[in-house]
Amino acid sequence: MKKKLVILYGGRSAEREVSVLSAESVLKAVDYTAFSVNVYFITKDGDFVAAGVFEATPHADDHLPTNETYDKSKVMPASAIYEKDAVVFPVLHGPMGEDGSIQGFLEILKMPYIGPNITHASVTMDKIMAKHVFESVGVPQVPYVALTNLVETAEKIKETAKKLGFPVFVKPANMGSSVGISKAENEAELAAAIKEAGLYDSRILIERGVNAREIEVAVLGNETVASTWPGEVVKDVAFYDYQSKYIDNRITMDIPAKIDTQTMTQMRTFAETAYRAVSGTGLSRCDFFLTTDGEIFLNEINAIPGFTQFSMYPLLWENMGISYADLIKKLVELAEQKFSERE
Ligand code: ATP
Ligand code: MG
Ligand code: MG
Ligand code: MG
């Protein structure tokens, strides 16, 4: 009997368009001799919509419904995704997808699901909380200031400038795909950047800007954790923003990264340590900065990284000998293992 895979995509966060691309990739790569797939779209308002049942690879030109194209008559109660023995793949990024909320919902439904558990998702989605956890296990990070109460902003701007210097990067604590992030070169820009980040979250992180290469490590596992050789995001822009990530396609990936073995091994160790510290389950992409003088900083952990066939995470595993389709199978196994341990 084929196993049932339930794909959830879209979602309420500003990263919903990235999710559509990841979900279409998964749907096209699944081994249909082993799986049949139920797909559900979550609209930007949070409604669940039945988006099809797939028994075979869809045509390359077929596209999943989006907020512009979905069939309103197919809206259904969220809990109607339930099916006994099915495994859910929440291919969702950002708040309400990667932050523990959908994971909590799936726990209540008693469905096994791929990816982070509630703690792993919520801690890594909140960049401020994540910093505290990484600190506690001695994983190096760039100096930062956390704004958790926007009322204190006026005094904090001066204090922050003094502590971090310029440039700084200003980020909403809960987001991804560089949404709401800006670089500030002076106090006036810092004030504007805080305002911009504040559109997405009331918790804001300000970091010292570093001149660094961006190196990423893929991690997979529950209790037993495996990591990959790192890859580099090679870019001709200093700031890997939304435009360069998804619109201009102005990056290439160097896999494995052209750095010495000692540095790569150190990064893998930091990645695994940080992953364990956040109660890592399923998968994560750990993003590092490697500065021009060889310093390593962990930038962040993405608990549900971009998952198209051309995304860094699956490509890092391909370099380790695990194909995209096998990676999906492995993730299903990890989901079932995690589920059976809890029951
Ligand atoms: P993702 O899409 O990986 O989830 P994100 O929205 O969580 O990204 P970050 O990875 O924290 O955001 O930052 C986005 C980009 O901004 C980085 O890839 C890097 O190019 C730049 N950046 C962020 N912080 C710094 C910093 N402290 N110094 C230099 N560049 C930075
Ligand atoms: Mg991120
Ligand atoms: Mg992300
Ligand atoms: Mg990032």
Side-chain angles (χ1 to χ4, degrees), residues 210-216 231-235 254 256-260 267 287-292 295 297:
V210 288
N211 227 328
R213 290 162 70 182
E214 298 193 46
I215 315 286
E216 306 186 340
E232 176 168 9
V233 180
V234 184
K235 53 200 167 64
D254 217 349
K258 290 190 189 71
I259 44 181
D260 63 87
M267 282 176 173
D287 297 357
F288 292 90
F289 294 131
L290 178 62
T291 66
T292 34
E295 260 187 304
F297 296 112

Side-chain angles (χ1 to χ4, degrees), residues 15 93-94 98 125 127 175-178 245-246 285 287 300-306:
E15 288 188 85
H93 307 295
E98 204 177 345
M125 191 74 249
K127 291 183 194 295
M175 195 47 75
S177 294
S178 304
K245 274 180 190 171
Y246 305 111
R285 197 190 69 223
D287 297 357
E300 61 155 349
I301 289 188
N302 288 286
I304 308 183

